[in-house]
Amino acid sequence: MTAEAAIATGREPGGGVHDVPWGEVWGQDEALQQLQAAASDPSQLAHAWLITGPAGSGRSTLAAAFAAALIAEPGDEAAMRQVLAGTHPDLTALRTEGVIISIKDARALVERSYFSPSLGRYRVMVMEDADRMIERTSNVLLKALEEPPERTVWILCAPSEADLLPTIRSRVRTLRLREPDVADVARLIVARTGVDEQTAEQAARLSQRHIGMAVRLATDADARARRDETLRAVLSVRGVGSAVETAARIVQLATDDAKALTTERDEAEREGLLRTLGITPGAAVPPAVRSQLSALEDDQKRRATRSLRDGIDRVLTDLESMFRDVLMLQFGRDDDLINRELADGLAALAAAWSAPRTLVVLDAIAATRTNLEGNAAPALALESMLVTVASGRTL
């Protein structure tokens, strides 16, 4: 069934809206068929899997569905829903809230992998963001992948195979997800959110087919406005002074965006913890439980740091799309622009610059992303990149 036909009949590609556990998997029919076969036939089941694909392609959704199909008996929808909710005792999922996966968290995951299944057919270990492991952490995981218990299955998720060590890649079966088309993502956004087709198409295009980001852009006018302001600010950079000012503005916009994503969740977690501890809203926190509140706040600070860095990386991805558009125009292509709303500014830049200069800028953006992954100061990294935008030269 094609994506268009699936949505037209109320079924999403790769599953139906009522199909458990595969109903939320969208647009990955080939991968879905492989995992369905592996879940039902032990001869096709590897002990460790690596699901790769670009951000927003549905890695985590597919991993959760596969885990549910492995753990629950066929037809046991209650158990499948429990796995999908993340509450089944035979599922252990690591979703890091930090910039990297810590050795402590990896060791805890490995220790649990040696437990026998308590209720289900298999024990399943899911590691999202496996690309956030440093080498020492990867080595902790390596032994568990080399000698796994008979009824334990590992599922790792990462953008690409290259993000993991060769020793890890050699011990997993890789499943590569495809990127959906803009039109398919737009139809899905309409079906899921009810927004109009024009808004859905714009969101799908600007998000570069990242489903989660497309949903946010389609339903959050503030997020769309922050993105537009950021790109227009970079288009207007003309010298070192404006580069410094724009870098500061980008960090502020990314901070605002990160707060919009985390503030409500932070408040809900704090209220939930206080309620669990029997403390009414507004009451003083007894000294005996302050350590638990402090631990929660520390976790939230780590999550905020990651959210900000992810937000800045998203800005850089958007800038890559913008200068890619400039390059397309310089080569006489105007039929496949991502940022059509900026067409006039892009055309002016394409006429003022040479294609080699645009390539220098794109290389600078890629280098900035790498530097930020290495914990560079965001403002300084962005200032350096924007000086390159203004001058056409790297520092």
Side-chain angles (χ1 to χ4, degrees), residues 67-244:
L70 287 171
I71 292 172
E73 294 291 341
D76 187 352
E77 289 196 7
M80 292 178 187
R81 293 184 188 280
Q82 191 177 4
V83 176
L84 293 174
T87 58
H88 196 286
D90 293 327
L91 170 71
T92 303
L94 177 58
R95 302 176 180 88
T96 178
E97 301 287 4
V99 176
I100 63 171
I101 294 176
S102 69
I103 291 180
K104 177 183 176 182
D105 287 343
R107 284 176 176 159
L109 198 67
V110 168
E111 288 175 4
R112 288 193 64 84
S113 74
Y114 290 101
F115 296 171
S116 297
S118 57
L119 298 175
R121 299 188 300 152
Y122 295 94
R123 176 168 294 280
V124 179
M125 319 301 296
V126 177
M127 178 183 281
E128 298 182 15
D129 303 315
D131 54 303
R132 293 182 182 267
M133 290 188 293
I134 60 176
E135 184 172 352
R136 288 185 301 158
T137 308
S138 296
N139 290 333
V140 169
L141 180 64
L142 187 59
K143 183 173 177 60
L145 296 180
E146 288 175 335
E147 302 174 4
E150 183 178 354
R151 295 173 64 196
T152 293
V153 177
W154 284 86
I155 307 173
L156 312 182
C157 301
S160 72
E161 292 176 89
D163 293 314
L164 277 74
L165 294 179
T167 48
I168 298 289
R169 299 200 301 265
S170 67
R171 288 163 175 80
V172 299
R173 181 182 298 179
T174 300
L175 198 64
R176 300 176 184 86
L177 304 187
R178 73 173 189 88
E179 287 191 86
D181 296 330
V182 168
D184 289 341
V185 174
R187 283 189 287 269
L188 179 67
I189 298 307
V190 171
R192 286 189 176 179
T193 69
V195 299
D196 62 88
E197 293 181 1
Q198 182 178 353
T199 300
E201 186 279 333
Q202 181 191 48
R205 173 167 41 82
L206 296 182
S207 68
Q208 299 178 69
R209 299 163 292 184
H210 185 301
I211 296 171
M213 183 57 65
V215 169
R216 184 161 186 240
L217 289 176
T219 58
D220 188 338
D222 289 339
R224 293 198 300 273
R226 282 191 288 267
R227 183 189 188 279
D228 185 72
E229 180 181 347
T230 299
L231 268 59
R232 291 184 186 276
V234 173
L235 275 177
S236 67
V237 169
R238 293 294 180 267
V240 174
S242 62
V244 172

Side-chain angles (χ1 to χ4, degrees), residues 270-287:
R270 178 184 172 86
E271 291 177 6
L273 176 60
L274 293 177
R275 189 166 50 250
T276 300
L277 297 172
I279 302 171
T280 58
V285 178

Side-chain angles (χ1 to χ4, degrees), residues 40-57:
S40 59
D41 182 358
S43 67
Q44 300 187 50
L45 180 62
H47 71 277
W49 298 75
L50 171 61
I51 300 177
T52 68
S57 59

